[in-house]
Amino acid sequence: QDHADRRRHDRVADDGAARVDGARRGERAHLIDARDALLSVRREVGGRAVGRGAWIHTDSAFVADEVREAFAVDPARVIPIHLGPPTPAAPGDPAAGARLAGADRYVLFVGTVEPRKDLPLLVRAFDRVAAEDRSLRLVLAGPDGWGADALTEALGRARHAARVRRLGWVSDEDR
């Protein structure tokens, strides 16, 4: 199955004159992930730059791998530059964090649950470490995304799932 059919973000063409990926009025059209967005840019503008050996910056190693796979480009010229979390306005309260986590010692993941973040791997790694350290917990903070089912399945197989806490979205007050 084509990659474009696997991961889609819906967008609707709003009038009969506008065409988004060939959509007619009211039909669903799709703006695909970063690789496909880059393909569109490449056709219009980026093709000349990529052809001249431009460097391509992505926001993750996952997307960098997709770009390397999608384009005939020197893999060394595709560089992931990871996004960092915003600087908190005020330092958090460690005691409040421990209460929210349910433990004094924990590994914390913050972000939307998505396949590119490979949370099932994090759960498997935690399971190995947790066997040696009974005081350690895994805390997952952030909303479910389109990778939530795989995470739920991984937690169902984990020996130490009782020591994993899924907080979901965390408010600014609790951060």
Side-chain angles (χ1 to χ4, degrees), residues 52-67:
R52 289 190 311 259
W55 291 83
I56 300 170
H57 294 161
T58 65
D59 64 355
S60 71
F62 180 88
V63 173
D65 288 342
E66 286 192 324
V67 169

Side-chain angles (χ1 to χ4, degrees), residues 1 5 20 24 37 50 59 63 65 79 106 108 144 155 160-161 175:
Q1 184 179 13
D5 292 330
V20 179
R24 290 188 209 101
V50 169
D59 64 355
V63 173
D65 288 342
I79 308 294
Y106 53 91
L108 175 64
D144 283 349
L155 288 169
H160 302 285
R175 290 184 197 174

Side-chain angles (χ1 to χ4, degrees), residues 101-103 105-107 123 125-140 155 158-166:
R105 295 187 63 246
Y106 53 91
V107 174
V123 169
F126 172 76
D127 228 11
R128 292 181 69 180
V129 173
E132 304 294 323
D133 187 344
R134 295 184 162 278
S135 66
L136 192 62
R137 303 288 186 265
L138 174 60
V139 179
L140 307 173
L155 288 169
R159 292 176 312 208
H160 302 285
R163 292 171 33 204
V164 177
R165 180 139 193 223
R166 285 179 80 175

Side-chain angles (χ1 to χ4, degrees), residues 4-175:
D5 292 330
R6 288 190 306 233
R7 294 202 342 231
R8 300 172 185 261
H9 301 287
D10 289 338
R11 197 166 105 185
V12 177
D14 53 12
D15 72 290
R19 296 289 186 264
V20 179
D21 293 341
R24 290 188 209 101
R25 182 185 186 123
E27 288 184 327
R28 287 198 179 268
H30 302 282
L31 177 62
I32 314 304
D33 60 24
R35 180 175 92 168
D36 297 300
L38 182 57
L39 179 59
S40 174
V41 170
R42 181 179 184 214
R43 280 192 295 263
E44 294 174 25
V45 175
R48 291 184 305 274
V50 169
R52 289 190 311 259
W55 291 83
I56 300 170
H57 294 161
T58 65
D59 64 355
S60 71
F62 180 88
V63 173
D65 288 342
E66 286 192 324
V67 169
R68 289 180 190 112
E69 178 185 321
F71 302 107
V73 61
D74 177 0
R77 298 189 79 78
V78 181
I79 308 294
I81 299 176
H82 301 281
L83 304 175
T87 305
D93 176 7
R99 282 191 301 278
L100 190 60
D104 290 328
R105 295 187 63 246
Y106 53 91
V107 174
L108 175 64
F109 167 84
V110 179
T112 303
V113 178
E114 298 175 359
R116 68 187 175 93
K117 297 174 185 175
D118 205 355
L119 293 181
L121 177 63
L122 177 61
V123 169
R124 290 191 305 275
F126 172 76
D127 228 11
R128 292 181 69 180
V129 173
E132 304 294 323
D133 187 344
R134 295 184 162 278
S135 66
L136 192 62
R137 303 288 186 265
L138 174 60
V139 179
L140 307 173
D144 283 349
W146 60 285
D149 292 341
L151 174 59
T152 300
E153 290 170 13
L155 288 169
R157 292 187 301 269
R159 292 176 312 208
H160 302 285
R163 292 171 33 204
V164 177
R165 180 139 193 223
R166 285 179 80 175
L167 299 176
W169 175 256
V170 178
S171 70
D172 287 340
E173 296 81 36
D174 288 333
R175 290 184 197 174

